Amino acid sequence: MSNNHADAYAASSVDNALRTLVYLRGHQQARVTDISDHLGVARSTAHRLLTTLRGHGFVEQEPGSRRYRLGPVLLGLTRGAVDEQSLVQVAHPHLVQLRDAAGETTNLLVLDGPDSRFADGVEGTHPLRVGTRTGDRVPAYATAGGKALLAELAPEAARTRYRRGLTRLTSETLTDLESLTSDLALSRSRGYALNIDESVTGVHGVGVPVRDRFGTCLAAVTVSAPSTRLDLSRAAELAPLLHRTAERIGAEL
């Protein structure tokens, strides 16, 4: 494909995506055939377009239905984005309280493309503790907070973000999309995500998403500790505390 043809194809795809979002805004919900007829394209093309938009959170499929509607990412933009500085200011006192209650290092993470970025953190109180990593970027599939955030997205999102595969950070890092998809499904059903030696050997983490009052996921909060103090049982005990912290942060956003 020549550069001119490639540019024309990309422009056409962007045009169709924008027209689809405008159509959904006016009609609230639509089927693949509705989008196909509106754009004048084949149903297979409309389905691929909706799948891509869904993978990025711009549209979502109604549960138990073949209809699509605007997704959380676009709705979050229309409500007004919460800037990261405000997010950190709101969350920090709650991270301190969570640290005091758990005795371990707490973190606030945001999703940044394929990575999770540590936006803030408070160190634990034990002499042997996990340090904060504020400013660091780590592949989202290798952190508890990152997996909590990925689990909030449509299943296609992982494939969209990791088309080149998963890079191994430790011997326990997930290395294929099937394993990641299964892990995210388990995180959703369990209510929290885990990092068991997946980014740093000897360090475990547990995380939950932070949603604003509209239900849009903006960040994740985690507790991180040496593996000797944070096993699966302790992670389950910390989960309710993490959820209460996330709810308190979200209520102020």
Side-chain angles (χ1 to χ4, degrees):
M1 183 181 293
S2 68
N3 288 337
N4 288 339
H5 287 162
D7 290 344
Y9 177 79
S12 176
S13 298
V14 172
D15 180 72
N16 284 338
L18 293 174
R19 290 173 61 196
T20 297
L21 295 175
V22 172
Y23 182 88
L24 286 172
R25 183 186 181 194
H27 293 76
Q28 304 302 318
Q29 56 185 14
R31 298 168 299 178
V32 171
T33 53
D34 297 324
I35 300 301
S36 172
D37 293 343
H38 177 66
L39 298 178
V41 298
R43 293 184 183 181
S44 58
T45 300
H47 184 266
R48 286 196 300 271
L49 174 62
L50 287 165
T51 298
T52 300
L53 291 172
R54 182 184 176 193
H56 288 283
F58 286 102
V59 305
E60 62 183 8
Q61 194 167 5
E62 294 183 343
S65 168
R66 294 183 179 181
R67 294 180 179 274
Y68 291 81
R69 62 192 179 194
L70 293 179
V73 170
L74 194 62
L75 292 175
L77 291 174
T78 60
R79 291 172 185 141
V82 176
D83 66 88
E84 190 168 312
Q85 182 176 359
S86 298
L87 175 63
V88 170
Q89 288 176 345
V90 167
H92 189 80
H94 297 285
L95 292 180
V96 173
Q97 292 176 9
L98 178 60
R99 187 278 312 274
D100 293 343
E104 305 290 356
T105 298
T106 59
N107 293 290
L108 179 76
L109 293 89
V110 296
L111 196 59
D112 190 355
D115 298 330
S116 52
R117 182 161 45 80
F118 289 77
D120 194 19
V122 180
E123 281 200 0
T125 56
H126 295 277
L128 176 62
R129 59 184 180 269
V130 176
T132 57
R133 303 185 62 176
T134 303
D136 285 357
R137 295 165 59 108
V138 180
Y141 56 80
T143 67
K147 288 198 282 186
L149 290 165
L150 289 176
E152 288 289 294
L153 303 177
E156 295 90 347
R159 296 188 181 278
T160 300
R161 283 169 168 73
Y162 306 113
R163 287 173 178 164
R164 297 183 179 179
L166 312 183
T167 300
R168 184 186 293 276
L169 303 181
T170 73
S171 61
E172 300 302 318
T173 306
L174 300 174
T175 56
D176 61 83
L177 290 173
E178 288 70 24
S179 297
L180 177 59
T181 300
S182 297
D183 191 286
L184 297 181
L186 178 58
S187 298
R188 283 191 293 272
S189 64
R190 185 174 50 205
Y192 57 90
L194 293 172
N195 165 15
I196 306 298
D197 294 317
E198 293 167 58
S199 57
V200 178
T201 301
V203 173
H204 292 178
V206 53
V208 302
V210 175
R211 305 180 185 91
D212 65 14
R213 61 187 183 277
F214 300 107
T216 302
C217 181
L218 301 176
V221 289
T222 68
V223 169
S224 299
S227 57
T228 53
R229 290 201 305 269
L230 184 53
D231 56 12
L232 297 182
S233 176
R234 179 58 174 158
E237 292 174 358
L238 289 171
L241 181 60
L242 280 159
H243 280 295
R244 288 194 293 271
T245 300
E247 289 168 2
R248 290 168 183 157
I249 295 172
E252 296 182 30
L253 295 175

